[in-house]
Amino acid sequence: MINLIKKPMKYFYKFILTMLIFEYFSINRKDTKKILKINTISSKNEVKKKQFLKNYFKDNHDKSKRFKNSKFVFLKNRNEIIVSGWITSKKNNYWNIEEIDRKLNTKERTILYDFETSMEYRNKGYYTLILKLIQNKYLKKKLLIYTQSSNKPSIRAIKKSGFKFKGLLKKF
């Protein structure tokens, strides 16, 4: 019964949602004062080797399908994920932004998406840090990231890490 209500609501929500697009390109490394290391996982097989990753993907089982076209990136404290997200490795000219079901021209750009910071680590700069570490890892690549226009903390972190506002997208 809940799915009968949820599905139409999700469909209509796409029409009122606005996404903000940001871009970053640099040939110089960003200064990062924290000593945390960025971790990258490229396949389901790598997940099986670490218990904390198995737990994460057990709770988020639908996300494991993304390994076909994307890499999972994260910062961790011991065996706990602090902040995580995805980076496309897809060699395609278009990326579908699921939230608004709209394709974005991504020629020669790497897409960053679906970042999430664990509740206890929010508002401590970890999202900004992972974005800076990604920028350092992907020097000379054009990076594109998007977020909902209502997600003020995400917008702040994206701008603080050096991304520049590129545009606004809606379903139509």
Side-chain angles (χ1 to χ4, degrees), residues 112-128:
L112 312 177
Y113 67 101
D114 200 19
F115 279 81
E116 177 181 26
T117 305
S118 298
M119 287 299 260
E120 65 190 84
Y121 294 102
R122 289 187 180 175
N123 300 312
K124 296 181 180 172
Y126 290 108
Y127 183 31
T128 302

Side-chain angles (χ1 to χ4, degrees), residues 33-48:
K33 295 179 184 351
K34 304 226 178 183
I35 302 176
L36 292 173
K37 183 182 131 209
I38 192 168
N39 298 275
T40 306
I41 302 293
S42 302
S43 71
K44 290 180 188 177
N45 290 335
E46 291 178 66
V47 170
K48 294 175 185 174

Side-chain angles (χ1 to χ4, degrees), residues 31-140:
D31 182 35
T32 55
K33 295 179 184 351
K34 304 226 178 183
I35 302 176
L36 292 173
K37 183 182 131 209
I38 192 168
N39 298 275
T40 306
I41 302 293
S42 302
S43 71
K44 290 180 188 177
N45 290 335
E46 291 178 66
V47 170
K48 294 175 185 174
K49 297 175 186 174
K50 308 261 185 208
Q51 187 60 45
F52 73 97
L53 287 173
K54 282 197 262 185
N55 292 340
Y56 176 84
F57 283 99
K58 182 180 172 189
D59 294 341
N60 301 283
H61 59 84
D62 57 321
K63 291 184 179 185
S64 63
K65 296 173 191 167
R66 296 177 179 174
F67 282 118
K68 194 180 339 176
N69 299 315
S70 300
K71 296 176 185 176
F72 181 65
V73 295
F74 61 95
L75 297 178
K76 69 177 183 136
N77 181 18
R78 296 187 184 97
N79 285 328
E80 181 181 22
I81 295 175
I82 296 171
V83 60
S84 64
W86 294 85
I87 300 176
T88 61
S89 54
K90 191 174 180 181
K91 304 293 183 224
N92 198 331
N93 289 338
Y94 292 95
W95 177 258
N96 186 45
I97 298 177
E98 291 178 12
E99 292 88 342
I100 57 174
D101 196 24
R102 180 145 176 224
K103 292 199 184 313
L104 180 66
N105 185 344
T106 59
K107 189 176 183 179
E108 297 178 23
R109 291 183 181 98
T110 300
I111 307 298
L112 312 177
Y113 67 101
D114 200 19
F115 279 81
E116 177 181 26
T117 305
S118 298
M119 287 299 260
E120 65 190 84
Y121 294 102
R122 289 187 180 175
N123 300 312
K124 296 181 180 172
Y126 290 108
Y127 183 31
T128 302
L129 175 62
I130 196 170
L131 293 177
K132 286 180 179 181
L133 291 170
I134 290 168
Q135 291 164 355
N136 286 345
K137 186 171 181 157
Y138 291 88
L139 284 176
K140 299 181 184 174

